[in-house]
Amino acid sequence: MAAESSRSLSIKRYIEHPKGSPTVLRLVVGSQLRRLRKERGIDLEEAAKAIRGSTAKVSRLERGQGACKERDVADLLTLYGVLDEDERADFLALTRQTGTRGWWHRYSDVLPGWFDRHIGLEEAAAVIRTYEVQFVPGLLQTEDYARAVILLGHPRASAHENDRRVQLRMERQNLLTRPDAPRLWAVLDEAALRRPLGGVEVMRGQLRHLIETARRPNVTLQVAPFSVGGLAAAGGPVTILRFPEPDLPDVVYLEQLTSALYLDKEEDVDHYLSIMDRLCAVAETPASSTAFLEGLLAELG
């Protein structure tokens, strides 16, 4: 009974205050369906038969990786013994919301499909932890710096397309200043700060922006200097997203050149959390990092 009450409250909370995006709403629906299936002792094969699909389809639904169809959710609720009309109505209402589009779909002409999910998760996160090796994180980039990074990655694109990519990146940053802003905890490798993307003047502006942004109460910024050595080499950039809903697992985002990996298995998340914790422990403290940034700015004259 307590589990049913908790589940109903969780669903109602997202119906009444749908934070972020259809991405996280799909995760909420999927996590609740997975919990119901396991509570009832039903295997994937039986669930797949109920929705006339494959076990892979059920897995994707439970992991929030595909569209949530009302008919499928209704059939699974019946299989799992959820017959209360009000509870079913809440589940199906939330399912319908998963089909809405986030603000970033205005940029679908320049938004890779593999990055779409990341923005949706980012919008709904309570905590975003990130480590960057090559560049300043997108959420902390100035417009000029972002343009330089985007030109580097899209040298053959039209000016209009790259303008759109810059606009998208700038609009993403609005989440840091909204009333329910997530906490951003960023570790920047010294190499990213010394790489003069866009020229000296652009880097001056970027360093000033980092110093200013680090003063925000919801932003923690640390620099991993070269002296940290091999420990800083987490294999590339890493972002870990944590959500306010306790049923949702943390998600590790690993961006590659033309794709990305999203990991939510407990052992994978724990591995990257351990790496991130070690990085934060050996990196400069936030206060020392600000002094480090000021020193780099002074070097540029």
Side-chain angles (χ1 to χ4, degrees):
M1 196 72 176
E4 290 178 6
S5 176
S6 173
R7 182 171 61 247
S8 296
L9 286 172
S10 174
I11 293 291
K12 281 186 180 297
R13 183 160 59 248
Y14 274 90
I15 292 173
E16 295 168 0
H17 305 286
K19 181 183 177 185
S21 70
T23 306
V24 79
L25 299 184
R26 287 195 294 268
L27 287 170
V28 171
V29 171
S31 69
Q32 296 295 349
L33 289 174
R34 181 171 61 247
R35 180 200 282 187
L36 279 167
R37 181 176 62 79
K38 291 186 175 181
E39 286 175 355
R40 303 301 191 266
I42 294 172
D43 61 24
L44 287 171
E45 286 78 10
E46 190 175 352
K49 288 178 183 176
I51 61 172
R52 302 152 301 280
S54 64
T55 57
K57 180 180 179 180
V58 177
S59 292
R60 287 194 300 272
L61 178 59
E62 290 185 350
R63 294 166 72 87
Q65 294 179 341
C68 298
K69 295 181 179 178
E70 266 191 85
R71 180 184 174 184
D72 290 343
V73 173
D75 288 343
L76 288 173
L77 291 176
T78 300
L79 176 65
Y80 301 154
V82 179
L83 305 178
D84 180 83
E85 289 186 8
D86 290 338
E87 187 174 1
R88 288 176 69 91
D90 286 344
F91 251 107
L92 296 177
L94 191 62
T95 299
R96 285 191 291 275
Q97 288 185 19
T98 66
T100 60
R101 290 183 166 232
W103 61 263
W104 55 95
H105 284 279
R106 299 196 307 271
Y107 298 95
S108 59
D109 55 323
V110 293
L111 179 64
W114 52 265
F115 194 62
D116 177 291
R117 187 182 180 206
H118 176 67
I119 299 182
L121 295 174
E122 191 176 73
E123 282 283 311
V127 180
I128 302 170
R129 299 181 68 180
T130 187
Y131 169 64
E132 273 287 355
V133 186
Q134 298 269 3
F135 309 114
V136 170
L139 290 175
L140 296 174
Q141 293 177 6
T142 64
E143 185 171 341
D144 289 338
Y145 183 93
R147 190 175 302 279
V149 173
I150 287 166
L151 284 171
L152 191 65
H154 303 276
R156 298 185 184 89
S158 69
H160 173 72
E161 288 174 330
N162 282 339
D163 283 344
R164 297 270 292 157
R165 291 185 174 96
V166 172
Q167 290 166 11
L168 169 61
R169 191 160 301 182
M170 294 301 101
E171 195 163 348
R172 276 176 60 205
Q173 297 179 7
N174 290 338
L175 67 85
L176 293 178
T177 55
R178 68 191 186 194
D180 60 343
R183 180 189 177 194
L184 175 64
W185 189 352
V187 180
L188 281 66
D189 197 276
E190 182 177 347
L193 299 170
R194 290 193 176 276
R195 185 169 289 109
L197 281 171
V200 172
E201 194 56 42
V202 169
M203 284 307 299
R204 283 198 196 101
Q206 180 62 69
L207 290 170
R208 291 190 194 101
H209 180 67
L210 289 172
I211 293 167
E212 180 180 344
T213 304
R215 298 192 183 105
R216 292 180 185 168
N218 62 315
V219 175
T220 300
L221 197 154
Q222 292 181 263
V223 175
F226 290 139
S227 59
V228 170
L231 183 58
V238 179
T239 298
I240 304 173
L241 303 111
R242 177 162 293 173
F243 308 95
E245 173 55 57
D247 287 337
L248 297 184
D250 293 353
V251 175
V252 176
Y253 171 74
L254 304 174
E255 186 170 318
Q256 300 170 343
L257 189 60
T258 57
S259 63
L261 294 176
Y262 295 86
L263 310 177
D264 61 6
K265 289 183 179 178
E266 187 175 356
E267 58 268 30
D268 293 331
V269 172
D270 287 347
H271 173 71
Y272 281 97
L273 279 171
S274 175
I275 289 174
M276 194 72 78
D277 287 343
R278 295 204 311 271
L279 276 166
C280 292
V282 300
E284 299 286 345
T285 65
S288 297
S289 294
T290 298
F292 192 98
L293 292 169
E294 289 170 342
L296 290 177
L297 184 59
E299 287 179 22
L300 294 178

